[in-house]
Amino acid sequence: MKEWFAYALVWTVLKVAGALPRSWARAMGAGLARMLFTVTPKLRKTAEFNLRLAFPQGTDAQRKATIRGMIRSLGWMAAEFARMPRYARENIENIIVLDGHENFLEGWKRGKGVLFLTAHLGAWELSSYAHALYGYPLHYMARPLDNARLDALVNHYRGRSGNAPIFKNESARVMLNILKNDGTVGILADQNTMRGEGAFVDFFDVPACTTTGIARVALHTGAAVVPGYAVWDESLKKYRLRFEPPLELILTGDDECDIMENTRLFVKVIEVIVRMYVEEWFWGHARW
């Protein structure tokens, strides 16, 4: 009964927000995000804890301002998610523009597939959706939600532009096959990982358990690792889907050393991006 109620609630919010004008939907999303953080104080406490670790010299006022910006960013992204069925190749440039796309194309033209390295930053759901509308669909790593109806709804929205999920229990085999066929795999690489599946590397100068799987796959396949992220551009009143140049993998001849060093490299790249857009990263993850 709880699962059905949760599904019905999310379905209703998506349909209402999706039918509203964009400015109204974004205001609604920001309001609901504020409400969520009010009724779930654990999220706010986690964000405050993370900000103290990452910026030990920061003040309470700075942390509160960052959390307010993060909540607004989450609400805006939720609104964009609800409106994604309204977006098509003909109008997507009114919502999000490509920036540095030649960097993605450089990696893609190498012919060994692309690992789209990204994080829970800005409009991460919109980024892959929009890139598919621009003509470059991808497969994305997904952890199935416990609520099967809700999981199907979310993946239906995500897949309307041509993207498809890779679930954890099939990830290695499917990912290797996709890259072998010069495909693209999007990976959110900023979450905590279980000890048996990762290694501790510094993130904001604090050790955090991080997946080594991305480095293992990149080293095994030769796939290009291209950082990408969608952030709000106030001057344009649009999102920018920014791609950085393909990363040069560290190759020492020692497999385990290479895995660790490239994992450190990927985490450092994400950290640099988060520092640039600190209010748009989701500080509510139990990252450390």
Side-chain angles (χ1 to χ4, degrees), residues 65 84 97 99 122 135 155-156 201 222 227 238:
M84 286 195 312
V97 295
D99 181 8
N155 282 304
H156 172 69
V201 297
K238 300 178 184 181

Side-chain angles (χ1 to χ4, degrees), residues 9-244:
L9 179 62
V10 172
W11 184 91
T12 301
V13 169
L14 286 176
K15 296 303 180 183
V16 171
L20 291 173
R22 188 171 182 234
S23 60
W24 292 17
R26 284 157 67 85
M28 176 184 171
L32 289 175
R34 286 193 296 271
M35 186 184 303
L36 174 65
F37 271 76
T38 299
V39 301
T40 53
K42 183 179 179 181
L43 277 176
R44 184 178 291 273
K45 289 180 180 179
T46 300
E48 291 172 350
F49 173 82
N50 288 342
L51 283 165
R52 284 192 180 93
L53 277 183
F55 302 103
Q57 305 304 320
T59 66
D60 286 342
Q62 289 171 330
R63 284 189 286 271
K64 288 178 181 178
T66 297
I67 291 173
R68 284 196 301 270
M70 176 196 70
I71 291 172
R72 184 184 69 171
S73 179
L74 286 171
W76 285 0
M77 188 196 67
E80 301 297 351
F81 185 86
R83 290 174 52 83
M84 286 195 312
R86 302 176 65 168
Y87 298 153
R89 180 64 188 92
E90 293 73 29
N91 65 4
I92 193 60
E93 290 180 42
N94 298 327
I95 308 300
I96 182 169
V97 295
L98 298 178
D99 181 8
H101 197 241
E102 67 277 6
N103 293 321
F104 172 83
L105 294 177
E106 178 189 339
W108 183 57
K109 289 175 182 177
R110 294 179 184 179
K112 294 185 177 181
V114 175
L115 291 170
F116 181 177
L117 183 71
T118 190
H120 293 85
L121 180 94
W124 70 83
E125 292 282 3
L126 180 60
S127 64
S128 57
Y129 191 89
H131 201 220
L133 292 179
Y134 275 108
Y136 303 91
L138 55 72
H139 288 75
Y140 57 90
M141 299 294 294
R143 179 181 300 173
L145 300 175
D146 294 335
N147 187 326
R149 291 188 183 90
L150 194 53
D151 185 66
L153 176 64
V154 169
N155 282 304
H156 172 69
Y157 268 66
R158 288 170 172 168
R160 290 178 64 99
S161 64
N163 296 330
I166 303 173
F167 295 112
K168 189 173 181 180
N169 61 344
E170 62 180 12
S171 58
R173 175 179 54 81
V174 173
M175 189 188 307
L176 292 175
N177 189 52
I178 292 166
L179 295 173
K180 182 180 179 181
N181 289 284
D182 200 19
T184 301
V185 178
I187 303 177
L188 292 156
D190 58 339
Q191 288 184 302
N192 186 52
T193 302
M194 293 186 294
R195 287 175 181 266
E197 300 178 0
F200 281 88
V201 297
D202 282 356
F203 184 53
F204 284 86
D205 299 319
V206 181
C209 196
T210 304
T211 178
T212 58
I214 305 170
R216 292 178 187 277
V217 170
L219 291 165
H220 177 73
T221 63
V225 181
V226 181
Y229 49 94
V231 290
W232 179 250
D233 189 316
E234 186 63 29
S235 63
L236 293 176
K237 301 296 182 183
K238 300 178 184 181
Y239 287 99
R240 282 188 297 110
L241 177 49
R242 170 68 188 172
F243 291 96
E244 303 295 345

